[in-house]
Amino acid sequence: MERKSSPAPAPSWVPASGHVLRHVGIHFDAVRIPGVLGEQVAYEIMQFTDFQAGPIVRSGVGERSMYFLLPPRSARAHRWPSGAQLMGCYGQNAAFVGVPALNGLTWPLDWRSLPTAEAPFVDVGLLHELVLEVTAREG
């Protein structure tokens, strides 16, 4: 009989139901990429990581942005191109990102890619590289 491992528990910053705002820079950093560019970057990183990209939150309203959740205090090490907005507690402006529960009704937010034990965050270096590639192709 094959032994099955139990699923990893959700990170402490993921709510049990609905969705909640989390302060960026505390539990994670975030890069926001709106519209088609965000969809393309999410697609590319999902393909590159064999669908184990780490946490990517999709917003279903407005510009329909993707929020790539990175290890805390890691995003500032890179210079992000136009179209990718670094969010964080850098300077005087606080930023918050909506985080949906893993299951249930979470509209207008949902997961494009879930956090896992193997990928608790999106790899900041890989994300930066892919954003540069995609924006160069598109521009």
Side-chain angles (χ1 to χ4, degrees):
M1 174 179 266
E2 187 176 322
R3 189 178 217 176
K4 292 187 177 185
S5 61
S6 61
S12 62
W13 43 266
V14 174
S17 63
H19 56 275
V20 66
L21 290 176
R22 295 289 188 216
H23 189 195
V24 177
I26 305 297
H27 301 288
F28 50 78
D29 276 1
V31 171
R32 176 184 173 267
I33 307 176
V36 175
L37 178 61
E39 289 283 348
Q40 185 62 37
V41 171
Y43 173 81
E44 300 261 344
I45 202 165
M46 294 288 289
Q47 292 292 313
F48 191 86
T49 61
D50 197 27
F51 299 93
Q52 297 294 316
I56 305 170
V57 175
R58 177 174 36 204
S59 173
V61 296
E63 294 180 287
R64 299 181 185 267
S65 297
M66 295 286 178
Y67 295 85
F68 298 83
L69 306 185
L70 312 169
R73 308 216 187 281
S74 66
R76 196 170 184 191
H78 297 278
R79 186 178 180 113
W80 298 93
S82 179
Q85 177 188 7
L86 170 63
M87 302 178 73
C89 59
Y90 311 110
Q92 296 183 16
N93 297 326
F96 295 85
V97 169
V99 176
L102 297 180
N103 299 300
L105 299 174
T106 62
W107 191 88
L109 304 172
D110 70 337
W111 291 101
R112 178 68 171 89
S113 176
L114 294 168
T116 64
E118 296 79 22
F121 298 103
V122 173
D123 181 288
V124 66
L126 176 59
L127 176 64
H128 184 256
E129 182 181 326
L130 290 173
V131 170
L132 291 174
E133 284 181 22
V134 172
T135 55
R137 281 196 313 251
E138 303 293 318

